[in-house]
Amino acid sequence: MSSIIIPKARLLLKSGKDAFLDPNIGWKTTHFWGPVANWSIALAGITDLTTKGPEYISLPMTATLCVYSAMFMRFAWMIRPRNYLLFSCHVFNEGVQSIQLYRRLQYDRQQQQQQQEGQQQEIVYKDDNKKNGIMCAAAAVAGGIGIVPRLQARITALPMPLKCRAFLKHPAGPFTIFFWAPTCKWGLSAANLLDYKRPVHSVSIPQQLSLLATGAIWCRWSFVITPININLAMVNLALASSAVYMLVRKYVYDPFPTSPGEEKDDK
């Protein structure tokens, strides 16, 4: 058994080393640093998971991150060159954000149960309906992937302006993941900005720093992948800008946050 596993492990390590040193996709390029920046989102999620309670979790942001990672798993698989580092990052982040989302939903459910004990059955019924709706949506998406090329061919065969047809046939057009993944990421920027009224003490510095890093690096990466993606560059610029806003807000209103333990010591 070891005679089979060890050579395969050595081959895997060698291929990883070759990819890391490759001048076209290695550590000197944004093909490497773009996914590395995205890993900071997952690590920020781990930090919040281990150090903060569920009451600090932003439900809109976490839900958006779940959808975002699901879309970019497909994106990482379809771009050229195919990016396994980005793919693994979003697989990991999907797990982290799903746990965070579950924690927040459980916390909200417990709060509702404490306030409205008599409505427990109704809450469970609604949750079941939500789960069924999510499963149906996932099944619809999975089933729709196979018919997209045929749908594109039928729609583009209809009479329409040349520019419209060119847009629909574009390699990063609305019939491809290269359009919908960046479009989904616009939700990430929007969710970040929608938290502008969120209490400053609950703003996650690791999360905002990771969003700033990934937004800045991906602006460049959007122009070196195939196909070039202007939509992706614009959304990452917006994401970085929203992160800067949240960090400035955090610094202005809460420049030196203290932990609960430190507050007790001061008293």
Side-chain angles (χ1 to χ4, degrees):
M1 189 71 176
S2 60
S3 61
I4 299 175
I5 295 176
I6 292 176
K8 287 187 176 181
R10 287 177 178 172
L11 183 62
L12 184 63
L13 289 173
K14 184 179 183 301
S15 61
K17 180 182 177 181
D18 292 342
F20 180 75
L21 298 176
D22 192 318
N24 296 317
I25 61 172
W27 70 276
K28 293 182 179 180
T29 69
T30 48
H31 296 295
F32 175 80
W33 290 108
V36 167
N38 258 32
W39 271 102
S40 64
I41 297 178
L43 295 177
I46 288 290
T47 301
D48 291 342
L49 177 64
T50 55
T51 61
K52 293 186 177 181
E55 66 274 12
Y56 292 104
I57 298 171
S58 171
L59 190 59
M61 175 61 76
T62 306
T64 305
L65 282 170
C66 287
V67 178
Y68 162 75
S69 282
M71 296 290 287
F72 271 88
M73 279 190 274
R74 173 72 175 168
F75 180 89
W77 193 260
M78 295 301 296
I79 59 170
R80 294 295 179 269
R82 182 172 288 169
N83 201 306
Y84 296 101
L85 183 59
L86 181 63
F87 180 80
S88 61
C89 163
H90 283 293
V91 170
F92 184 81
N93 189 55
E94 185 70 30
V96 172
Q97 301 303 332
S98 296
I99 293 172
Q100 287 287 77
L101 185 62
Y102 175 78
R103 290 178 67 214
R104 178 65 198 211
L105 292 175
Q106 283 291 95
Y107 173 78
D108 290 344
R109 182 182 299 177
Q110 290 173 2
Q111 294 299 311
Q112 290 177 358
Q113 287 176 349
Q114 290 175 2
Q115 295 174 3
Q116 302 172 342
E117 290 291 337
Q119 297 182 3
Q120 184 175 1
Q121 292 182 352
E122 182 181 351
I123 293 170
V124 173
Y125 176 73
K126 288 181 179 179
D127 287 344
D128 289 341
N129 283 342
K130 287 180 182 178
K131 291 177 182 178
N132 291 336
I134 292 171
M135 291 175 65
C136 290
V141 171
I145 291 174
I147 67 170
V148 168
R150 286 178 288 174
L151 183 63
Q152 182 185 23
R154 289 194 177 188
I155 292 178
T156 53
L158 298 173
M160 64 180 68
L162 292 177
K163 289 186 177 180
C164 183
R165 181 177 284 107
F167 172 68
L168 294 176
K169 287 186 173 182
H170 194 275
F175 288 99
T176 69
I177 191 65
F178 307 117
F179 175 84
W180 291 108
T183 301
C184 170
K185 199 168 185 177
W186 278 107
L188 197 61
S189 299
N192 206 29
L193 287 175
L194 287 174
D195 279 343
Y196 73 98
K197 288 186 178 180
R198 194 179 179 195
V200 177
H201 70 273
S202 63
V203 173
S204 171
I205 293 179
Q207 184 183 71
Q208 296 304 323
L209 287 174
S210 65
L211 292 177
L212 174 59
T214 189
I217 295 175
W218 276 55
C219 282
R220 167 60 181 161
W221 193 47
S222 304
F223 293 98
V224 298
I225 58 175
T226 302
I228 292 174
N229 203 312
I230 304 298
N231 189 18
L232 185 61
M234 292 175 63
V235 69
N236 279 287
L237 180 61
L239 182 63
S241 301
S242 67
V244 168
Y245 167 76
M246 296 298 285
L247 288 170
V248 170
R249 181 169 170 258
K250 177 77 172 179
Y251 177 76
V252 170
Y253 293 101
D254 193 16
F256 303 107
T258 56
S259 63
E262 291 175 346
E263 291 178 356
K264 290 181 181 179
D265 293 340
D266 293 340
K267 293 180 181 179

